[in-house]
Amino acid sequence: DSIVLHTHRQLNHLHKETESIIQILSISAIFLLVFGFVVYIKEILVSLEAQKLKNELQQFFDALNESAIVSKTDTAGVITYVNQKFCDVSGYSEEELIGQAHNIIRHPDMSREIFKNLWETIQDKKVFKATIKNRKKDNNFYFVDTSIMPILDLDGTIKEYLAVRYDVTELVQARDMAIIGEKAKSEFLSNMSHELRTPLNAIVGFSSILSRSVKDEKHLKYLANIQESSANLIGLIDDILDLSKLQSGKF
């Protein structure tokens, strides 16, 4: 009987331990299932967010390509990418540009100092900005508002350079025409002032001489009015001359 009782107790103990192990395994399985489900959902969300970010970046890149002249070069300045707008503006095909040094479009009017400053800036991992005159394939020219920036690796090393440009040829030409027009206007005002002053000086001089011989008070009053009006007009002409000097930077 004691042996049976002892065996019964052992079986009960094993049964309880088995139930405990089953409970632990069940809880662990549920935990692993929940954890796996959470990880799966998280991966889906990350994937969706990555896809959304990718779509946004693609839309941004498409918009940039549509409006700007875009190119990339390696660290030696050799072209590795150009968009269609670059080809349309420069007159070169993509095949003619890829693998060429970027100075293929450099215009001889541009100072070497500008490009020296360009390289020093981007090699210092900064953004270079300037308005640059470039040369087309047919030797014509165009102006671009330029921004060039370095693209860095994860360790901070410069991998390549990205250039974004906007064609501002019409704006530059309009500015130059406005400067020419302003200069012509200033020169006209200056010449006109000198030409008007000569006869006025004669009027003032001769009216002064005439007033010495005229005795009639009424006529003297007329001559005085002529002299005063002429002097006022000369003062006005002097003001115009000063204004033309001010506008031309000579004042």
Side-chain angles (χ1 to χ4, degrees):
D1 291 339
S2 61
I3 294 173
V4 172
L5 183 61
H6 178 72
T7 302
H8 183 69
R9 288 175 178 173
Q10 288 293 328
L11 288 173
N12 286 336
H13 180 70
L14 289 172
H15 181 68
K16 290 179 179 180
E17 286 187 349
T18 301
E19 287 181 348
S20 177
I21 291 171
I22 291 173
Q23 288 178 354
I24 292 171
L25 290 174
S26 298
I27 293 171
S28 298
I30 293 171
F31 175 77
L32 289 173
L33 182 63
V34 172
F35 178 76
F37 181 74
V38 170
V39 171
Y40 175 70
I41 295 297
K42 187 176 180 181
E43 286 182 352
I44 291 176
L45 292 175
V46 169
S47 177
L48 291 173
E49 187 65 27
Q51 186 62 41
K52 179 183 176 183
L53 180 60
K54 182 180 178 181
N55 291 337
E56 289 176 352
L57 287 173
Q58 186 61 48
Q59 291 174 7
F60 171 78
F61 190 70
D62 291 343
L64 186 66
N65 272 328
E66 198 65 32
S67 60
I69 302 167
V70 183
S71 65
K72 289 198 296 184
T73 65
D74 61 18
T75 53
V78 176
I79 299 173
T80 57
Y81 168 81
V82 293
N83 69 344
Q84 186 57 45
K85 198 168 186 68
F86 192 114
C87 298
D88 294 340
V89 174
S90 69
Y92 288 97
S93 67
E94 182 179 353
E95 292 75 19
E96 290 174 316
L97 291 169
I98 300 296
Q100 296 292 326
H102 210 289
N103 59 17
I104 188 175
I105 58 169
R106 181 183 298 181
H107 198 281
D109 287 353
M110 296 302 298
S111 169
R112 290 182 177 271
E113 283 298 316
I114 292 178
F115 298 102
K116 180 182 177 184
N117 180 37
L118 185 159
W119 276 107
E120 289 175 351
T121 301
I122 60 178
Q123 287 178 342
D124 197 29
K125 300 179 182 178
K126 297 177 182 178
V127 179
F128 173 83
K129 293 184 178 182
T131 299
I132 294 178
K133 184 179 183 180
N134 283 338
R135 180 172 60 184
K136 295 185 178 183
K137 183 180 179 180
D138 61 4
N139 287 326
N140 208 336
F141 65 88
Y142 62 101
F143 289 91
V144 286
D145 185 34
T146 301
S147 296
I148 303 175
M149 61 215 73
I151 299 175
L152 308 180
D153 263 335
L154 294 177
D155 60 358
T157 304
I158 297 176
K159 180 182 178 183
E160 55 187 346
Y161 298 107
L162 173 67
V164 178
R165 301 176 178 86
Y166 292 93
D167 189 350
V168 292
T169 306
E170 291 184 3
L171 292 175
V172 172
Q173 290 176 335
R175 180 202 64 188
D176 292 344
M177 290 299 295
I179 292 173
I180 293 172
E182 189 66 28
K183 184 179 178 181
K185 184 184 75 173
S186 297
E187 290 177 352
F188 169 75
L189 288 174
S190 178
N191 292 334
M192 182 188 70
S193 300
H194 286 295
E195 293 298 325
L196 288 175
R197 187 182 296 181
T198 300
L200 279 173
N201 285 333
I203 292 172
V204 172
F206 284 112
S207 62
S208 177
I209 294 172
L210 187 61
S211 65
R212 296 172 191 171
S213 59
V214 173
K215 303 301 181 183
D216 185 273
E217 291 293 329
K218 185 178 180 181
H219 291 163
L220 285 172
K221 186 177 179 181
Y222 291 160
L223 288 171
N225 286 336
I226 291 173
Q227 288 178 313
E228 182 181 356
S229 297
S230 298
N232 289 336
L233 192 52
I234 288 174
L236 179 60
I237 291 171
D238 287 338
D239 290 341
I240 293 174
L241 184 60
D242 288 340
L243 176 62
S244 67
K245 287 181 180 178
L246 184 65
Q247 291 176 336
S248 61
K250 296 177 180 178
F251 189 74

